Amino acid sequence: MYRNSDDISISLLSGSDLERKKHDIIDFLATGDLRIDDQVTTFVVALSQDNERIVACAGLDKNVVKCVCVDKQLRGSGLSVRLGTEVIMQGLSKGYDDLFLFTKYINSRIFDGWGFKSLVEIPNVVSFMDYDSTQLEYYLYTLKSTLRAGERIGSIVMNANPFTNGHRYLVEQASKECDWVHVFLVREDVSFFSYDTRLTLVRDGVSDLRNVVVHEGSDYIISHATFPQYFLKKDEEITEQASAIDALMFRKYIAPSLNINIRYVGTEPTDKTTAMYNVVLKKFLEDCSYSDKKIELKEIERVKFQDIAVSASRVRSLIQENRYRETADLVPKSTYLYLNKFFVNEKEERKSCHEN
């Protein structure tokens, strides 16, 4: 039995070193009823010096701390703090302004000792924490500069990959019903269209609606920080908890900064995951047990073309099948002009390469 952590060495694993040690990490995480998250690119690992057995680990997925586990025999020995210090140093050295952590509620007090503070939590379930709350404070300060007066202030969060007539219709309906509408774009740059392109298409697509404000994305609205794959076993649980954290972050921080009192979403007739997401959003935005001030969730019937709901996935399928001209009936003129320009340039480049 270990009495202290003095004979434990700390190692940093990434790239090929991580691949060689991956199965050992998987086995160790299993002892803590955890599973590895394949998005983690760097692991801080504690090894016993006598047999190089893993006795603690913590992973980094960009600026999110994941896969934290300490051998039961070493809990309370100071090893956790050593581990936390190292993983925080690694995260900050990569240039991130803030670090996040999504953990089981019962473990959240452990990470207080690392310097993390809870942003939102679901008692007895999960806690979403960050390392430097001043970054959130600054973000909320910048939001307040776009504060608009009115009794009915709406909001929409979208990925817009790309911006379609469905997105446009949702914004239009909110614009008609509200004094002001705040549109937030998901910042994650893992979509078919880049974040910068999506932001441009949204701004161009709603430029004629004078009571609509388009906001850039952030770590605080639907980001990779809110998806806890590493300790939830079922995909349904992952999506439910991600939806709940997103709703509570929005309700506790984003909405009050702009006096938002309603959030709009489109109905989801086919995708069960998105339909469930809407149900969870409604619960955590409107349930008074989580906050005194509730946010109304309003579902708008999806616009259709030829009896089929217009969706970004349908547009992407047409593009991938080289049938982009058929998207003309599914996207606003501004989006179609971009697609047309993109494909014309692509064809010219292919022609030039072929001639050369």
Side-chain angles (χ1 to χ4, degrees), residues 67-230:
C67 303
V68 179
C69 187
V70 177
D71 190 302
K72 292 179 180 179
Q73 297 181 26
L74 284 164
R75 292 175 188 175
S77 67
L79 178 58
S80 174
V81 175
R82 285 180 62 192
L83 190 72
T85 300
E86 184 62 32
V87 78
I88 288 168
M89 243 173 55
Q90 287 300 321
L92 297 179
S93 69
K94 293 178 183 295
Y96 294 111
D97 295 325
D98 197 3
L99 300 178
F100 299 94
L101 188 147
F102 199 125
T103 184
K104 292 178 180 178
Y105 180 80
I106 59 173
N107 294 335
S108 59
R109 298 301 170 260
I110 296 172
F111 299 106
D112 286 345
W114 288 22
F116 283 86
K117 299 300 178 185
S118 178
L119 293 177
V120 293
E121 53 190 27
I122 304 172
N124 302 314
V125 184
V126 295
S127 180
F128 181 54
M129 313 178 78
D130 81 333
Y131 183 72
D132 184 1
S133 59
T134 60
Q135 297 302 317
L136 174 59
E137 292 169 4
Y138 177 74
Y139 174 66
L140 298 178
Y141 173 79
T142 61
L143 285 184
K144 289 177 181 178
S145 67
T146 63
L147 181 65
R148 301 290 189 270
E151 293 185 4
R152 192 173 177 85
I153 307 298
S155 61
I156 301 170
V157 180
M158 62 175 63
N159 194 34
N161 184 35
F163 188 72
T164 68
N165 286 340
H167 296 109
R168 168 71 192 197
Y169 179 74
L170 184 63
V171 178
E172 277 182 349
Q173 294 305 113
S175 174
K176 291 175 183 177
E177 297 176 5
C178 298
D179 297 302
W180 286 92
V181 179
H182 294 274
V183 176
F184 298 89
L185 188 69
V186 175
R187 192 175 189 91
E188 295 300 305
D189 215 346
V190 293
S191 300
F192 186 87
F193 291 89
S194 71
Y195 167 74
D196 289 337
T197 295
R198 290 184 289 111
L199 182 61
T200 297
L201 293 180
V202 172
R203 284 176 168 165
D204 289 348
V206 302
S207 60
D208 60 310
L209 301 176
R210 300 306 176 189
N211 65 338
V212 174
V213 181
V214 178
H215 297 272
E216 295 187 15
S218 77
D219 285 320
Y220 307 103
I221 301 181
I222 307 186
S223 73
H224 70 288
T226 63
F227 289 86
Q229 292 96 324
Y230 68 98

Side-chain angles (χ1 to χ4, degrees), residues 232-298:
L232 294 174
K233 300 293 185 181
K234 300 177 182 177
D235 292 340
E236 293 83 358
E237 288 181 304
I238 293 169
T239 307
E240 286 180 16
Q241 300 308 331
S243 304
I245 291 300
D246 167 58
L248 293 178
M249 285 293 295
F250 189 84
R251 182 172 177 173
K252 184 176 180 179
Y253 299 104
I254 310 300
S257 299
L258 297 169
N259 291 334
I260 291 169
N261 47 35
I262 182 168
R263 181 163 164 177
Y264 288 81
V265 295
T267 57
E268 183 48 66
T270 57
D271 189 298
K272 291 182 179 180
T273 299
T274 304
M276 182 271 289
Y277 175 83
N278 288 350
V279 171
V280 176
L281 270 184
K282 184 175 181 66
K283 174 184 175 181
F284 285 90
L285 288 178
E286 297 185 355
D287 190 334
C288 289
S289 63
Y290 290 99
S291 175
D292 293 333
K293 187 176 181 181
K294 72 174 186 178
I295 308 297
E296 177 188 352
L297 185 77
K298 184 165 184 179

